[in-house]
PDB file of all heavy atoms in Angstrom:
ATOM      1  N   TRP A  35      14.605 -10.775 -37.826  1.00  0.00           N
ATOM      2  CA  TRP A  35      15.694 -10.087 -37.111  1.00  0.00           C
ATOM      3  C   TRP A  35      15.264  -9.684 -35.709  1.00  0.00           C
ATOM      4  O   TRP A  35      16.068  -9.703 -34.779  1.00  0.00           O
ATOM      5  CB  TRP A  35      16.186  -8.880 -37.911  1.00  0.00           C
ATOM      6  CG  TRP A  35      17.203  -9.301 -38.920  1.00  0.00           C
ATOM      7  CD1 TRP A  35      17.052  -9.374 -40.265  1.00  0.00           C
ATOM      8  CD2 TRP A  35      18.529  -9.764 -38.651  1.00  0.00           C
ATOM      9  NE1 TRP A  35      18.189  -9.856 -40.857  1.00  0.00           N
ATOM     10  CE2 TRP A  35      19.119 -10.100 -39.889  1.00  0.00           C
ATOM     11  CE3 TRP A  35      19.276  -9.945 -37.480  1.00  0.00           C
ATOM     12  CZ2 TRP A  35      20.421 -10.589 -39.988  1.00  0.00           C
ATOM     13  CZ3 TRP A  35      20.576 -10.429 -37.582  1.00  0.00           C
ATOM     14  CH2 TRP A  35      21.134 -10.747 -38.832  1.00  0.00           C
ATOM     15  N   PHE A  39      17.402 -10.700 -32.502  1.00  0.00           N
ATOM     16  CA  PHE A  39      17.948  -9.710 -31.572  1.00  0.00           C
ATOM     17  C   PHE A  39      17.563 -10.007 -30.121  1.00  0.00           C
ATOM     18  O   PHE A  39      18.349  -9.802 -29.202  1.00  0.00           O
ATOM     19  CB  PHE A  39      17.465  -8.298 -31.941  1.00  0.00           C
ATOM     20  CG  PHE A  39      18.267  -7.643 -33.023  1.00  0.00           C
ATOM     21  CD1 PHE A  39      17.639  -6.965 -34.064  1.00  0.00           C
ATOM     22  CD2 PHE A  39      19.647  -7.687 -32.999  1.00  0.00           C
ATOM     23  CE1 PHE A  39      18.382  -6.350 -35.065  1.00  0.00           C
ATOM     24  CE2 PHE A  39      20.401  -7.083 -33.989  1.00  0.00           C
ATOM     25  CZ  PHE A  39      19.768  -6.410 -35.026  1.00  0.00           C
TER      26      PHE A  39
ATOM     27  N   TYR B 122      17.304  -2.861 -28.850  1.00  0.00           N
ATOM     28  CA  TYR B 122      17.093  -2.322 -30.183  1.00  0.00           C
ATOM     29  C   TYR B 122      15.841  -2.934 -30.821  1.00  0.00           C
ATOM     30  O   TYR B 122      15.005  -2.228 -31.379  1.00  0.00           O
ATOM     31  CB  TYR B 122      18.322  -2.583 -31.061  1.00  0.00           C
ATOM     32  CG  TYR B 122      18.191  -1.959 -32.425  1.00  0.00           C
ATOM     33  CD1 TYR B 122      18.288  -0.583 -32.573  1.00  0.00           C
ATOM     34  CD2 TYR B 122      17.949  -2.739 -33.546  1.00  0.00           C
ATOM     35  CE1 TYR B 122      18.128   0.007 -33.812  1.00  0.00           C
ATOM     36  CE2 TYR B 122      17.802  -2.165 -34.792  1.00  0.00           C
ATOM     37  CZ  TYR B 122      17.895  -0.797 -34.916  1.00  0.00           C
ATOM     38  OH  TYR B 122      17.729  -0.209 -36.132  1.00  0.00           O
ATOM     39  N   ARG B 126      12.785  -0.630 -31.918  1.00  0.00           N
ATOM     40  CA  ARG B 126      12.744  -0.176 -33.301  1.00  0.00           C
ATOM     41  C   ARG B 126      12.132  -1.166 -34.282  1.00  0.00           C
ATOM     42  O   ARG B 126      11.834  -0.788 -35.407  1.00  0.00           O
ATOM     43  CB  ARG B 126      14.165   0.148 -33.779  1.00  0.00           C
ATOM     44  CG  ARG B 126      14.988   0.984 -32.847  1.00  0.00           C
ATOM     45  CD  ARG B 126      14.476   2.388 -32.701  1.00  0.00           C
ATOM     46  NE  ARG B 126      14.508   3.116 -33.949  1.00  0.00           N
ATOM     47  CZ  ARG B 126      14.214   4.419 -34.046  1.00  0.00           C
ATOM     48  NH1 ARG B 126      13.875   5.086 -32.956  1.00  0.00           N
ATOM     49  NH2 ARG B 126      14.231   5.028 -35.198  1.00  0.00           N
ATOM     50  N   LEU B 127      12.014  -2.430 -33.930  1.00  0.00           N
ATOM     51  CA  LEU B 127      11.498  -3.412 -34.889  1.00  0.00           C
ATOM     52  C   LEU B 127      10.073  -3.797 -34.504  1.00  0.00           C
ATOM     53  O   LEU B 127       9.704  -3.736 -33.337  1.00  0.00           O
ATOM     54  CB  LEU B 127      12.383  -4.667 -34.907  1.00  0.00           C
ATOM     55  CG  LEU B 127      13.839  -4.457 -35.303  1.00  0.00           C
ATOM     56  CD1 LEU B 127      14.581  -5.769 -35.310  1.00  0.00           C
ATOM     57  CD2 LEU B 127      13.935  -3.799 -36.657  1.00  0.00           C
ATOM     58  N   PHE B 190      17.042   4.299 -27.328  1.00  0.00           N
ATOM     59  CA  PHE B 190      16.754   3.978 -28.738  1.00  0.00           C
ATOM     60  C   PHE B 190      15.422   4.576 -29.175  1.00  0.00           C
ATOM     61  O   PHE B 190      15.246   4.940 -30.328  1.00  0.00           O
ATOM     62  CB  PHE B 190      16.715   2.464 -28.951  1.00  0.00           C
ATOM     63  CG  PHE B 190      18.066   1.813 -29.007  1.00  0.00           C
ATOM     64  CD1 PHE B 190      18.272   0.563 -28.443  1.00  0.00           C
ATOM     65  CD2 PHE B 190      19.133   2.441 -29.636  1.00  0.00           C
ATOM     66  CE1 PHE B 190      19.521  -0.046 -28.503  1.00  0.00           C
ATOM     67  CE2 PHE B 190      20.381   1.841 -29.692  1.00  0.00           C
ATOM     68  CZ  PHE B 190      20.572   0.595 -29.116  1.00  0.00           C
ATOM     69  N   PHE B 193      15.378   7.959 -31.033  1.00  0.00           N
ATOM     70  CA  PHE B 193      15.931   8.179 -32.377  1.00  0.00           C
ATOM     71  C   PHE B 193      14.812   8.510 -33.368  1.00  0.00           C
ATOM     72  O   PHE B 193      13.705   7.986 -33.256  1.00  0.00           O
ATOM     73  CB  PHE B 193      16.650   6.918 -32.868  1.00  0.00           C
ATOM     74  CG  PHE B 193      17.946   6.636 -32.165  1.00  0.00           C
ATOM     75  CD1 PHE B 193      18.603   5.438 -32.362  1.00  0.00           C
ATOM     76  CD2 PHE B 193      18.509   7.570 -31.303  1.00  0.00           C
ATOM     77  CE1 PHE B 193      19.805   5.165 -31.720  1.00  0.00           C
ATOM     78  CE2 PHE B 193      19.699   7.314 -30.659  1.00  0.00           C
ATOM     79  CZ  PHE B 193      20.351   6.103 -30.863  1.00  0.00           C
ATOM     80  N   LYS B 195      12.627   8.344 -36.831  1.00  0.00           N
ATOM     81  CA  LYS B 195      12.251   7.200 -37.651  1.00  0.00           C
ATOM     82  C   LYS B 195      13.032   7.145 -38.958  1.00  0.00           C
ATOM     83  O   LYS B 195      13.273   6.069 -39.507  1.00  0.00           O
ATOM     84  CB  LYS B 195      10.747   7.272 -37.966  1.00  0.00           C
ATOM     85  CG  LYS B 195      10.014   5.990 -37.624  1.00  0.00           C
ATOM     86  CD  LYS B 195       8.517   6.140 -37.752  1.00  0.00           C
ATOM     87  CE  LYS B 195       8.062   6.273 -39.193  1.00  0.00           C
ATOM     88  NZ  LYS B 195       6.629   6.648 -39.282  1.00  0.00           N
ATOM     89  N   GLU B 196      13.435   8.315 -39.409  1.00  0.00           N
ATOM     90  CA  GLU B 196      14.122   8.385 -40.704  1.00  0.00           C
ATOM     91  C   GLU B 196      15.472   7.669 -40.667  1.00  0.00           C
ATOM     92  O   GLU B 196      16.033   7.347 -41.704  1.00  0.00           O
ATOM     93  CB  GLU B 196      14.339   9.847 -41.127  1.00  0.00           C
ATOM     94  CG  GLU B 196      13.065  10.586 -41.470  1.00  0.00           C
ATOM     95  CD  GLU B 196      12.280  10.988 -40.229  1.00  0.00           C
ATOM     96  OE1 GLU B 196      12.916  11.184 -39.165  1.00  0.00           O
ATOM     97  OE2 GLU B 196      11.043  11.090 -40.316  1.00  0.00           O
ATOM     98  N   LEU B 197      15.980   7.439 -39.468  1.00  0.00           N
ATOM     99  CA  LEU B 197      17.314   6.842 -39.317  1.00  0.00           C
ATOM    100  C   LEU B 197      17.425   5.529 -40.089  1.00  0.00           C
ATOM    101  O   LEU B 197      18.302   5.346 -40.925  1.00  0.00           O
ATOM    102  CB  LEU B 197      17.572   6.591 -37.833  1.00  0.00           C
ATOM    103  CG  LEU B 197      19.011   6.321 -37.454  1.00  0.00           C
ATOM    104  CD1 LEU B 197      19.778   7.623 -37.406  1.00  0.00           C
ATOM    105  CD2 LEU B 197      19.066   5.640 -36.103  1.00  0.00           C
ATOM    106  N   GLU B 198      16.488   4.606 -39.804  1.00  0.00           N
ATOM    107  CA  GLU B 198      16.540   3.305 -40.454  1.00  0.00           C
ATOM    108  C   GLU B 198      16.159   3.395 -41.923  1.00  0.00           C
ATOM    109  O   GLU B 198      16.725   2.703 -42.753  1.00  0.00           O
ATOM    110  CB  GLU B 198      15.604   2.310 -39.750  1.00  0.00           C
ATOM    111  CG  GLU B 198      16.195   1.698 -38.500  1.00  0.00           C
ATOM    112  CD  GLU B 198      15.666   2.348 -37.256  1.00  0.00           C
ATOM    113  OE1 GLU B 198      14.922   3.346 -37.383  1.00  0.00           O
ATOM    114  OE2 GLU B 198      16.000   1.863 -36.150  1.00  0.00           O
ATOM    115  N   GLU B 199      15.188   4.273 -42.229  1.00  0.00           N
ATOM    116  CA  GLU B 199      14.722   4.387 -43.611  1.00  0.00           C
ATOM    117  C   GLU B 199      15.869   4.748 -44.543  1.00  0.00           C
ATOM    118  O   GLU B 199      16.055   4.145 -45.592  1.00  0.00           O
ATOM    119  CB  GLU B 199      13.596   5.416 -43.703  1.00  0.00           C
ATOM    120  CG  GLU B 199      12.270   4.846 -43.223  1.00  0.00           C
ATOM    121  CD  GLU B 199      11.200   5.906 -43.059  1.00  0.00           C
ATOM    122  OE1 GLU B 199      11.413   7.042 -43.512  1.00  0.00           O
ATOM    123  OE2 GLU B 199      10.162   5.573 -42.455  1.00  0.00           O
ATOM    124  N   ALA B 200      16.672   5.743 -44.098  1.00  0.00           N
ATOM    125  CA  ALA B 200      17.801   6.179 -44.924  1.00  0.00           C
ATOM    126  C   ALA B 200      18.792   5.038 -45.109  1.00  0.00           C
ATOM    127  O   ALA B 200      19.279   4.792 -46.218  1.00  0.00           O
ATOM    128  CB  ALA B 200      18.489   7.376 -44.277  1.00  0.00           C
ATOM    129  N   ALA B 201      19.049   4.312 -44.023  1.00  0.00           N
ATOM    130  CA  ALA B 201      20.031   3.224 -44.101  1.00  0.00           C
ATOM    131  C   ALA B 201      19.520   2.100 -44.990  1.00  0.00           C
ATOM    132  O   ALA B 201      20.284   1.480 -45.733  1.00  0.00           O
ATOM    133  CB  ALA B 201      20.325   2.690 -42.698  1.00  0.00           C
ATOM    134  N   GLN B 202      18.191   1.862 -44.923  1.00  0.00           N
ATOM    135  CA  GLN B 202      17.627   0.777 -45.718  1.00  0.00           C
ATOM    136  C   GLN B 202      17.692   1.097 -47.200  1.00  0.00           C
ATOM    137  O   GLN B 202      17.914   0.207 -48.022  1.00  0.00           O
ATOM    138  CB  GLN B 202      16.194   0.497 -45.283  1.00  0.00           C
ATOM    139  CG  GLN B 202      16.153  -0.446 -44.092  1.00  0.00           C
ATOM    140  CD  GLN B 202      14.770  -0.573 -43.516  1.00  0.00           C
ATOM    141  OE1 GLN B 202      13.957   0.350 -43.632  1.00  0.00           O
ATOM    142  NE2 GLN B 202      14.503  -1.697 -42.888  1.00  0.00           N
ATOM    143  N   ILE B 203      17.483   2.361 -47.531  1.00  0.00           N
ATOM    144  CA  ILE B 203      17.585   2.759 -48.929  1.00  0.00           C
ATOM    145  C   ILE B 203      18.998   2.501 -49.432  1.00  0.00           C
ATOM    146  O   ILE B 203      19.220   2.089 -50.560  1.00  0.00           O
ATOM    147  CB  ILE B 203      17.178   4.252 -49.079  1.00  0.00           C
ATOM    148  CG1 ILE B 203      15.669   4.373 -48.839  1.00  0.00           C
ATOM    149  CG2 ILE B 203      17.556   4.786 -50.460  1.00  0.00           C
ATOM    150  CD1 ILE B 203      15.169   5.765 -48.645  1.00  0.00           C
ATOM    151  N   ASP B 204      19.972   2.680 -48.528  1.00  0.00           N
ATOM    152  CA  ASP B 204      21.363   2.390 -48.906  1.00  0.00           C
ATOM    153  C   ASP B 204      21.646   0.899 -48.948  1.00  0.00           C
ATOM    154  O   ASP B 204      22.781   0.486 -49.144  1.00  0.00           O
ATOM    155  CB  ASP B 204      22.327   3.050 -47.905  1.00  0.00           C
ATOM    156  CG  ASP B 204      22.308   4.555 -48.026  1.00  0.00           C
ATOM    157  OD1 ASP B 204      21.760   5.043 -49.031  1.00  0.00           O
ATOM    158  OD2 ASP B 204      22.822   5.240 -47.121  1.00  0.00           O
ATOM    159  N   GLY B 205      20.621   0.072 -48.681  1.00  0.00           N
ATOM    160  CA  GLY B 205      20.791  -1.371 -48.786  1.00  0.00           C
ATOM    161  C   GLY B 205      21.359  -2.028 -47.545  1.00  0.00           C
ATOM    162  O   GLY B 205      21.902  -3.121 -47.579  1.00  0.00           O
ATOM    163  N   MET B 206      21.259  -1.352 -46.414  1.00  0.00           N
ATOM    164  CA  MET B 206      21.805  -1.906 -45.184  1.00  0.00           C
ATOM    165  C   MET B 206      20.780  -2.840 -44.539  1.00  0.00           C
ATOM    166  O   MET B 206      19.596  -2.529 -44.501  1.00  0.00           O
ATOM    167  CB  MET B 206      22.115  -0.753 -44.236  1.00  0.00           C
ATOM    168  CG  MET B 206      23.485  -0.838 -43.612  1.00  0.00           C
ATOM    169  SD  MET B 206      23.690   0.522 -42.468  1.00  0.00           S
ATOM    170  CE  MET B 206      25.420   0.830 -42.672  1.00  0.00           C
ATOM    171  N   GLY B 207      21.243  -3.972 -43.996  1.00  0.00           N
ATOM    172  CA  GLY B 207      20.347  -4.875 -43.280  1.00  0.00           C
ATOM    173  C   GLY B 207      20.190  -4.441 -41.834  1.00  0.00           C
ATOM    174  O   GLY B 207      20.871  -3.515 -41.379  1.00  0.00           O
ATOM    175  N   TRP B 208      19.308  -5.143 -41.085  1.00  0.00           N
ATOM    176  CA  TRP B 208      19.049  -4.759 -39.687  1.00  0.00           C
ATOM    177  C   TRP B 208      20.281  -4.901 -38.817  1.00  0.00           C
ATOM    178  O   TRP B 208      20.546  -4.089 -37.944  1.00  0.00           O
ATOM    179  CB  TRP B 208      17.900  -5.597 -39.123  1.00  0.00           C
ATOM    180  CG  TRP B 208      16.582  -5.172 -39.670  1.00  0.00           C
ATOM    181  CD1 TRP B 208      15.803  -5.833 -40.560  1.00  0.00           C
ATOM    182  CD2 TRP B 208      15.899  -3.951 -39.370  1.00  0.00           C
ATOM    183  NE1 TRP B 208      14.683  -5.112 -40.852  1.00  0.00           N
ATOM    184  CE2 TRP B 208      14.707  -3.966 -40.136  1.00  0.00           C
ATOM    185  CE3 TRP B 208      16.168  -2.862 -38.564  1.00  0.00           C
ATOM    186  CZ2 TRP B 208      13.796  -2.905 -40.092  1.00  0.00           C
ATOM    187  CZ3 TRP B 208      15.265  -1.810 -38.515  1.00  0.00           C
ATOM    188  CH2 TRP B 208      14.097  -1.842 -39.270  1.00  0.00           C
ATOM    189  N   TRP B 209      21.030  -5.972 -39.056  1.00  0.00           N
ATOM    190  CA  TRP B 209      22.233  -6.197 -38.253  1.00  0.00           C
ATOM    191  C   TRP B 209      23.227  -5.061 -38.469  1.00  0.00           C
ATOM    192  O   TRP B 209      23.838  -4.546 -37.531  1.00  0.00           O
ATOM    193  CB  TRP B 209      22.847  -7.554 -38.606  1.00  0.00           C
ATOM    194  CG  TRP B 209      24.060  -7.890 -37.810  1.00  0.00           C
ATOM    195  CD1 TRP B 209      25.334  -7.950 -38.268  1.00  0.00           C
ATOM    196  CD2 TRP B 209      24.110  -8.190 -36.403  1.00  0.00           C
ATOM    197  NE1 TRP B 209      26.186  -8.271 -37.237  1.00  0.00           N
ATOM    198  CE2 TRP B 209      25.463  -8.433 -36.077  1.00  0.00           C
ATOM    199  CE3 TRP B 209      23.146  -8.272 -35.394  1.00  0.00           C
ATOM    200  CZ2 TRP B 209      25.886  -8.760 -34.796  1.00  0.00           C
ATOM    201  CZ3 TRP B 209      23.570  -8.599 -34.115  1.00  0.00           C
ATOM    202  CH2 TRP B 209      24.926  -8.840 -33.821  1.00  0.00           C
ATOM    203  N   GLY B 210      23.370  -4.671 -39.747  1.00  0.00           N
ATOM    204  CA  GLY B 210      24.278  -3.576 -40.080  1.00  0.00           C
ATOM    205  C   GLY B 210      23.837  -2.263 -39.455  1.00  0.00           C
ATOM    206  O   GLY B 210      24.647  -1.515 -38.912  1.00  0.00           O
ATOM    207  N   ILE B 211      22.530  -2.012 -39.507  1.00  0.00           N
ATOM    208  CA  ILE B 211      22.008  -0.769 -38.926  1.00  0.00           C
ATOM    209  C   ILE B 211      22.291  -0.732 -37.428  1.00  0.00           C
ATOM    210  O   ILE B 211      22.762   0.265 -36.894  1.00  0.00           O
ATOM    211  CB  ILE B 211      20.494  -0.637 -39.181  1.00  0.00           C
ATOM    212  CG1 ILE B 211      20.217  -0.523 -40.673  1.00  0.00           C
ATOM    213  CG2 ILE B 211      19.935   0.572 -38.451  1.00  0.00           C
ATOM    214  CD1 ILE B 211      18.746  -0.572 -41.020  1.00  0.00           C
ATOM    215  N   PHE B 212      22.021  -1.873 -36.776  1.00  0.00           N
ATOM    216  CA  PHE B 212      22.237  -1.944 -35.326  1.00  0.00           C
ATOM    217  C   PHE B 212      23.707  -1.715 -34.989  1.00  0.00           C
ATOM    218  O   PHE B 212      24.050  -0.886 -34.136  1.00  0.00           O
ATOM    219  CB  PHE B 212      21.779  -3.314 -34.809  1.00  0.00           C
ATOM    220  CG  PHE B 212      22.225  -3.621 -33.408  1.00  0.00           C
ATOM    221  CD1 PHE B 212      21.675  -2.914 -32.335  1.00  0.00           C
ATOM    222  CD2 PHE B 212      23.173  -4.590 -33.150  1.00  0.00           C
ATOM    223  CE1 PHE B 212      22.089  -3.180 -31.034  1.00  0.00           C
ATOM    224  CE2 PHE B 212      23.583  -4.855 -31.859  1.00  0.00           C
ATOM    225  CZ  PHE B 212      23.043  -4.150 -30.801  1.00  0.00           C
ATOM    226  N   LEU B 213      24.579  -2.445 -35.708  1.00  0.00           N
ATOM    227  CA  LEU B 213      25.999  -2.439 -35.361  1.00  0.00           C
ATOM    228  C   LEU B 213      26.669  -1.128 -35.735  1.00  0.00           C
ATOM    229  O   LEU B 213      27.472  -0.591 -34.974  1.00  0.00           O
ATOM    230  CB  LEU B 213      26.682  -3.606 -36.087  1.00  0.00           C
ATOM    231  CG  LEU B 213      27.823  -4.293 -35.356  1.00  0.00           C
ATOM    232  CD1 LEU B 213      27.344  -4.826 -34.017  1.00  0.00           C
ATOM    233  CD2 LEU B 213      28.357  -5.437 -36.213  1.00  0.00           C
ATOM    234  N   ARG B 214      26.312  -0.609 -36.933  1.00  0.00           N
ATOM    235  CA  ARG B 214      27.093   0.520 -37.426  1.00  0.00           C
ATOM    236  C   ARG B 214      26.414   1.873 -37.239  1.00  0.00           C
ATOM    237  O   ARG B 214      27.054   2.906 -37.365  1.00  0.00           O
ATOM    238  CB  ARG B 214      27.439   0.307 -38.912  1.00  0.00           C
ATOM    239  CG  ARG B 214      28.752  -0.493 -39.011  1.00  0.00           C
ATOM    240  CD  ARG B 214      29.170  -0.715 -40.421  1.00  0.00           C
ATOM    241  NE  ARG B 214      28.563  -1.921 -40.986  1.00  0.00           N
ATOM    242  CZ  ARG B 214      28.383  -2.108 -42.289  1.00  0.00           C
ATOM    243  NH1 ARG B 214      28.714  -1.157 -43.148  1.00  0.00           N
ATOM    244  NH2 ARG B 214      27.862  -3.229 -42.727  1.00  0.00           N
ATOM    245  N   ILE B 215      25.116   1.869 -36.932  1.00  0.00           N
ATOM    246  CA  ILE B 215      24.448   3.157 -36.722  1.00  0.00           C
ATOM    247  C   ILE B 215      23.927   3.292 -35.299  1.00  0.00           C
ATOM    248  O   ILE B 215      24.283   4.213 -34.573  1.00  0.00           O
ATOM    249  CB  ILE B 215      23.297   3.355 -37.734  1.00  0.00           C
ATOM    250  CG1 ILE B 215      23.871   3.359 -39.159  1.00  0.00           C
ATOM    251  CG2 ILE B 215      22.566   4.661 -37.448  1.00  0.00           C
ATOM    252  CD1 ILE B 215      22.837   3.420 -40.222  1.00  0.00           C
ATOM    253  N   ALA B 216      23.096   2.324 -34.881  1.00  0.00           N
ATOM    254  CA  ALA B 216      22.446   2.451 -33.572  1.00  0.00           C
ATOM    255  C   ALA B 216      23.452   2.406 -32.417  1.00  0.00           C
ATOM    256  O   ALA B 216      23.421   3.239 -31.514  1.00  0.00           O
ATOM    257  CB  ALA B 216      21.399   1.359 -33.410  1.00  0.00           C
ATOM    258  N   LEU B 217      24.357   1.421 -32.451  1.00  0.00           N
ATOM    259  CA  LEU B 217      25.315   1.290 -31.346  1.00  0.00           C
ATOM    260  C   LEU B 217      26.222   2.502 -31.189  1.00  0.00           C
ATOM    261  O   LEU B 217      26.325   3.049 -30.093  1.00  0.00           O
ATOM    262  CB  LEU B 217      26.155   0.014 -31.500  1.00  0.00           C
ATOM    263  CG  LEU B 217      25.604  -1.279 -30.898  1.00  0.00           C
ATOM    264  CD1 LEU B 217      26.689  -2.346 -30.872  1.00  0.00           C
ATOM    265  CD2 LEU B 217      25.058  -1.061 -29.494  1.00  0.00           C
ATOM    266  N   PRO B 218      26.869   2.958 -32.284  1.00  0.00           N
ATOM    267  CA  PRO B 218      27.729   4.139 -32.115  1.00  0.00           C
ATOM    268  C   PRO B 218      26.957   5.356 -31.601  1.00  0.00           C
ATOM    269  O   PRO B 218      27.478   6.129 -30.813  1.00  0.00           O
ATOM    270  CB  PRO B 218      28.268   4.394 -33.526  1.00  0.00           C
ATOM    271  CG  PRO B 218      28.173   3.087 -34.211  1.00  0.00           C
ATOM    272  CD  PRO B 218      26.970   2.414 -33.641  1.00  0.00           C
ATOM    273  N   LEU B 219      25.695   5.489 -32.047  1.00  0.00           N
ATOM    274  CA  LEU B 219      24.913   6.650 -31.613  1.00  0.00           C
ATOM    275  C   LEU B 219      24.535   6.572 -30.138  1.00  0.00           C
ATOM    276  O   LEU B 219      24.244   7.575 -29.512  1.00  0.00           O
ATOM    277  CB  LEU B 219      23.637   6.777 -32.460  1.00  0.00           C
ATOM    278  CG  LEU B 219      23.809   7.397 -33.836  1.00  0.00           C
ATOM    279  CD1 LEU B 219      22.488   7.376 -34.590  1.00  0.00           C
ATOM    280  CD2 LEU B 219      24.330   8.830 -33.728  1.00  0.00           C
TER     281      LEU B 219
END
Side-chain angles (χ1 to χ4, degrees):
Chain A
W35 275 108
F39 277 136
Chain B
Y122 184 72
R126 313 293 298 186
L127 300 181
F190 283 143
F193 289 171
K195 232 172 70 190
E196 292 76 28
L197 195 78
E198 279 101 354
E199 282 169 11
Q202 275 171 333
I203 290 167
D204 291 347
M206 228 183 214
W208 286 108
W209 182 250
I211 296 172
F212 167 69
L213 214 58
R214 272 181 273 156
I215 298 175
L217 272 193
L219 281 176

